[in-house]
């Protein structure tokens, strides 16, 4: 498929490659966004990591020298990415070795753009797909209403393709060997993604058994959704509030459908990104108002603006930072822009009138930051009161615990707040000094680690000692293996992606607080996240 013509103009050929790389970058960012919505952060990071390869100096230089040597852009990019992938394959570190698949995936994407072709495995009707191998991006682009399952000759169970299939809910069996390709088109196949069983022309008995299992699983999901509106009480009667993380009115609707008892994290960024100037107070007011109206008297925890880091907005240009995650972001920006900060606070105070508004500040590192934020809140409130405007009355004010300094000094923060919401996504990246979107260090980013649990324990104890409550709103709150431990540590509220609520409530009902406490106490004394996950599974 790769053409063999020698280019007439080497500079034009390099420009053609650069344009294709740029287009690939755009495609990968959109794919990453789509997967973030459909699946989650870890899976979406995979495509951000792929996008990074596009600018890898070794890869780009190698491709450009190949063009200088008379190759066309397709040949040059193919040669360079194959060279890079082969180098990765030769390494002993398993994580780095597995990155070769991503390099080839990016390689293929750029070549397809250069050739103007598209290769999505998309059949006309419903089918089971058999392939030698599938790349993560081919898997991410699958339409699960058409691809009922897939099997591959190559690949391992921890490959990104397998992880993505699992997260997208597509049954898959990978690494089956060459005999897979002997199966003829049109054969009736039975694929069990849980056990890895693939049966061609299954007996009627086996088919019947599978029909029963499929039915049982869908009934379980149905019954989880049916009982999702009920509170989550442990077997011994302890109640945990289960609420949702949302970033739009649509998501708030979905949260209600799945039994959210409120919103535990409203990411207000949704209003600020994808525009060229900050939204004015009126725009903000009506957007917040429609969410409050939807939620009625249920609690809504709203986080003030959390941009910076990896969330760029075009109208704030603070120059390039060497370490954006450690730089000017979130509350640091708000405190430096009092007019914009107060405008958001006024919009929220007004929109929250008659509702259970709970306000929280993101990325708090010091007590001074909380006090300064509360001062602006006080000013915003006084300004509205002096005009006789209706506003949220008994509003709670809290902070996000995302930086170890806040967890370590939790007892000092308690008098300043009504609640804490622990953002375990950021807390984990800052505890392990491992950027959360960087696939190369993702093995360090498991929140179910004793180093994180000990910080959660500390925050809960400090808060409960003075009658305050604690929520967890990072991905960990919806992680089935982490939930029993969070219960046992005394966390009062779990805030998660709406779709995770029904099964999480079911899980909470299956545990007793006593057992959860026992397992949490054991977990605190283990050495690693793997040990903890093994303990919970056992
Ligand atoms: C977190 O850091 O855990 C969190 C919930 O905030 P975000 O994921 O929006 O950074
Ligand atoms: Mg965060």
């Amino acid at each position: 498929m790769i053409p063999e013509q020698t280019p007439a103009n080497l500079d034009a050929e390099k420009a053609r490659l650069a344009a294709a790389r740029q287009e690939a970058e755009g495609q990968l960012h959109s794919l990453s966004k789509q997967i973030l919505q459909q699946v989650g952060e870890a899976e979406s990071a995979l495509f951000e990591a792929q996008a990074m390869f596009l600018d890898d100096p070794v890869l780009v230089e190698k491709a450009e020298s190949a063009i200088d040597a008379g190759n066309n852009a397709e040949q040059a990019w193919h040669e360079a990415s194959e060279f890079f992938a082969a180098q990765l394959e030769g390494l002993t570190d398993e994580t780095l070795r597995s990155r070769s698949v991503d390099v080839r995936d990016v390689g293929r994407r750029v070549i397809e753009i250069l050739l103007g072709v598209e290769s999505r495995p998309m059949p006309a009707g419903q089918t089971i797909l058999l392939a030698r191998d599938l790349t993560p991006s081919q898997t991410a682009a699958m339409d699960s209403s058409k691809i009922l399952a897939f099997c591959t000759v190559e690949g391992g169970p921890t490959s990104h393709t397998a992880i993505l299939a699992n997260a997208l809910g597509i049954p898959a069996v990978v690494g089956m060997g060459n005999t897979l390709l002997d199966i003829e088109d049109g054969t009736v196949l039975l694929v069990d993604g849980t056990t890895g069983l693939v049966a061609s022309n299954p007996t009627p008995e086996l088919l019947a058994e599978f029909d029963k299992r499929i039915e049982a699983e869908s009934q379980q999901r149905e019954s989880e959704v049916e009982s999702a509106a009920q509170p989550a009480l442990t077997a011994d009667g302890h109640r945990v509030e289960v609420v949702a993380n949302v970033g739009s009115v649509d998501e708030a609707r979905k949260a209600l459908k799945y039994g959210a008892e409120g919103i535990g994290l409203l990411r207000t960024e949704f209003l600020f990104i994808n525009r060229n100037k900050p939204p004015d107070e009126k725009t903000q007011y009506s957007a917040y108002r429609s969410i409050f109206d939807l939620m009625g008297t249920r609690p809504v925890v709203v986080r003030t603006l959390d941009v910076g880091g990896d969330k760029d907005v075009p109208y704030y240009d603070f120059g390039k930072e060497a370490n954006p995650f450690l730089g000017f972001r979130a509350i640091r920006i708000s405190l430096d822009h009092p007019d914009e900060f107060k405008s958001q606070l006024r919009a929220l105070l007004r929109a929250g009138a008659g509702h259970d508004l709970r306000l929280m500040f993101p990325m708090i590192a010091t007590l001074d930051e909380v006090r300064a934020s509360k001062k602006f809140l006080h000013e915003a409130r006084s300004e509205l009161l002096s005009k006789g405007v209706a506003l949220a009355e008994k509003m709670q004010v809290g902070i996000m615990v995302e930086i170890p300094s806040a967890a370590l000094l939790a007892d000092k923060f308690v008098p300043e707040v009504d609640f804490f919401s622990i953002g375990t996504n950021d807390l984990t990246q800052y505890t392990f000094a491992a950027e959360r979107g960087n696939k190369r260090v993702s093995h360090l980013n498991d929140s179910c680690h004793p180093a994180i649990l000990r910080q959660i324990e500390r925050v809960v104890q400090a808060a409960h000692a003075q009658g305050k409550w604690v929520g967890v709103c990072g991905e960990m709150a919806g992680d089935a293996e982490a939930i029993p431990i969070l219960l046992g540590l005394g966390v009062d509220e779990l805030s998660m992606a709406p779709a995770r609520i029904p099964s999480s409530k079911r899980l909470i009902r299956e545990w007793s607080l006593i057992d959860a406490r026992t397992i949490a106490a054991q977990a605190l004394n283990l050495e690693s996240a793997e040990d903890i996950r093994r303990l919970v599974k056992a």
Side-chain angles (χ1 to χ4, degrees):
M1 96 177 192
I2 293 180
E4 288 180 356
Q5 300 93 317
T6 307
N9 179 332
L10 300 186
D11 284 337
E13 202 60 8
K14 283 184 196 164
R16 201 162 76 82
L17 177 59
R21 281 171 35 227
Q22 200 175 3
E23 184 170 341
E25 190 175 346
Q27 288 182 0
L28 284 166
H29 288 319
S30 323
L31 192 57
S32 157
K33 266 196 202 137
Q34 172 208 321
I35 292 295
L36 180 65
Q37 297 229 319
Q38 264 179 290
V39 184
E41 191 160 328
E43 291 77 10
S44 107
L46 181 66
F47 297 103
E48 291 302 331
Q50 282 201 356
M52 277 164 42
F53 280 128
L54 289 164
D55 285 328
D56 189 284
V58 177
L59 191 58
V60 175
E61 266 173 45
K62 180 113 190 122
E64 292 192 340
S65 349
I67 294 179
D68 285 333
N71 292 289
N72 60 43
E74 289 88 342
Q75 287 170 320
W77 186 253
H78 178 69
E79 190 179 299
S81 53
E82 274 305 312
F83 170 81
F84 201 43
Q87 278 203 325
L88 287 171
E89 266 170 353
L91 298 174
T92 42
D93 182 310
E94 162 124 38
T95 315
L96 291 175
R97 237 183 13 236
S98 71
R99 305 285 292 140
S100 63
V101 177
D102 292 305
V103 173
R104 292 209 166 91
D105 200 6
V106 171
R108 185 192 50 83
R109 182 178 292 279
V110 173
I111 291 170
E112 280 173 7
I113 293 170
L114 286 166
L115 293 170
V117 296
E118 202 190 354
S119 77
R120 280 166 148 226
M122 215 48 87
Q126 288 193 323
T127 194
I128 292 175
L129 182 75
L130 308 184
R132 175 157 290 284
D133 206 359
L134 289 166
T135 63
S137 48
Q138 285 171 326
T139 310
M142 276 183 200
D143 176 348
S144 60
S145 67
K146 288 188 174 158
I147 310 264
L148 301 178
F150 70 80
C151 309
T152 61
V153 172
E154 281 159 28
T158 56
S159 68
H160 291 141
T161 298
I163 292 169
L164 267 173
N166 185 18
L168 288 164
I170 303 176
V173 181
V174 298
M176 290 190 59
N178 277 324
T179 49
L180 177 72
L181 300 180
D182 296 338
I183 299 174
E184 289 192 10
D185 235 3
T187 309
V188 177
L189 273 189
L190 197 145
V191 178
D192 180 351
T194 315
T195 62
L197 171 90
V198 177
S200 56
N201 298 316
T203 59
E205 291 77 27
L206 192 58
L207 269 178
E209 187 192 316
F210 265 71
D211 279 342
K212 249 204 226 146
R213 257 187 54 198
I214 292 172
E215 177 66 20
E217 281 178 20
S218 77
Q219 270 180 7
Q220 162 150 338
R221 178 70 187 162
E222 252 173 52
S223 95
E224 283 170 0
V225 174
E226 257 170 41
S227 57
Q230 307 302 319
L233 294 172
T234 57
D236 47 358
H238 172 74
R239 175 155 186 194
V240 188
E241 214 172 324
V242 182
V243 290
N245 292 352
V246 311
S248 67
V249 187
D250 279 348
E251 276 186 348
R253 251 182 233 116
K254 192 162 153 198
L256 285 177
K257 183 175 128 208
Y258 285 129
E261 293 155 33
I263 291 175
L265 169 61
L266 174 62
R267 292 182 162 108
T268 56
E269 297 80 75
F270 77 98
L271 267 174
F272 289 78
I273 46 188
N274 294 331
R275 58 199 310 153
N276 4 336
K277 60 180 178 41
D280 60 22
E281 202 168 315
K282 207 166 131 217
T283 310
Q284 289 190 60
Y285 167 81
S286 31
Y288 302 143
R289 186 78 204 178
S290 42
I291 291 181
F292 282 115
D293 285 345
L294 202 62
M295 299 309 290
T297 55
R298 293 176 183 84
V300 179
V301 180
V302 184
R303 171 172 81 186
T304 61
L305 188 60
D306 182 13
V307 290
D310 58 345
K311 289 178 248 176
D312 270 343
V313 283
Y315 44 87
Y316 287 146
D317 182 9
F318 305 122
K320 199 162 165 50
E321 295 184 304
N323 295 295
F325 277 105
L326 301 182
F328 199 48
R329 56 171 300 198
I331 199 67
R332 301 168 187 183
I333 297 178
S334 293
L335 291 175
D336 198 55
H337 290 71
D339 291 343
E340 279 103 327
F341 190 24
K342 283 206 286 180
S343 152
Q344 177 172 41
L345 294 170
R346 283 192 303 266
L348 280 167
L349 284 166
R350 284 172 49 219
H355 297 274
D356 187 353
L357 163 62
R358 303 174 181 190
L359 192 75
M360 70 176 172
F361 304 115
M363 300 289 306
I364 292 290
T366 68
L367 277 145
D368 282 348
E369 287 169 346
V370 189
R371 293 183 183 129
S373 304
K374 284 168 67 182
K375 188 175 132 287
F376 285 125
L377 178 61
H378 181 75
E379 285 175 20
R381 173 181 272 276
S382 308
E383 284 162 22
L384 293 175
L385 283 175
S386 69
K387 289 189 193 141
V389 178
L391 46 78
E393 284 305 323
K394 284 184 251 139
M395 181 187 50
Q396 296 188 19
V397 179
I399 61 165
M400 288 198 72
V401 178
E402 298 173 283
I403 301 180
S405 63
L408 289 166
L409 280 188
D411 56 326
K412 300 289 177 205
F413 281 91
V414 176
E416 297 290 342
V417 301
D418 298 306
F419 68 92
F420 293 106
S421 183
I422 307 180
T424 46
N425 306 338
D426 275 317
L427 186 60
T428 307
Q429 84 163 337
Y430 294 127
T431 298
F432 293 106
E435 193 188 311
R436 60 198 258 192
N438 185 340
K439 202 68 200 150
R440 282 171 226 180
V441 295
S442 63
H443 59 289
L444 292 168
N445 257 315
D446 188 337
S447 303
C448 218
H449 191 285
I452 304 300
L453 301 186
R454 288 186 184 199
Q455 294 182 72
I456 298 176
E457 182 198 32
R458 197 183 179 99
V459 175
V460 171
Q461 287 188 352
H464 286 185
Q466 297 185 54
K468 312 281 168 83
W469 63 270
V470 178
V472 170
C473 65
E475 295 291 304
M476 187 185 193
D479 175 343
E481 283 163 14
I483 287 176
I485 297 175
L486 295 175
L487 280 180
L489 290 175
V491 169
D492 304 284
E493 177 235 49
L494 297 173
S495 190
M496 60 192 73
R500 298 212 192 244
I501 292 175
S503 60
S504 300
K505 283 193 169 181
R506 183 204 17 96
L507 184 66
I508 293 168
R509 294 181 189 122
E510 284 170 2
W511 276 81
S512 71
L513 185 59
I514 295 182
D515 288 345
R517 280 186 180 146
T518 309
I519 205 170
Q522 288 171 334
L524 284 168
N525 282 308
L526 291 177
E527 289 182 359
S528 68
E530 293 81 55
D531 287 350
I532 292 180
R533 292 193 181 276
R534 223 173 288 127
L535 170 76
V536 181
K537 275 192 213 143

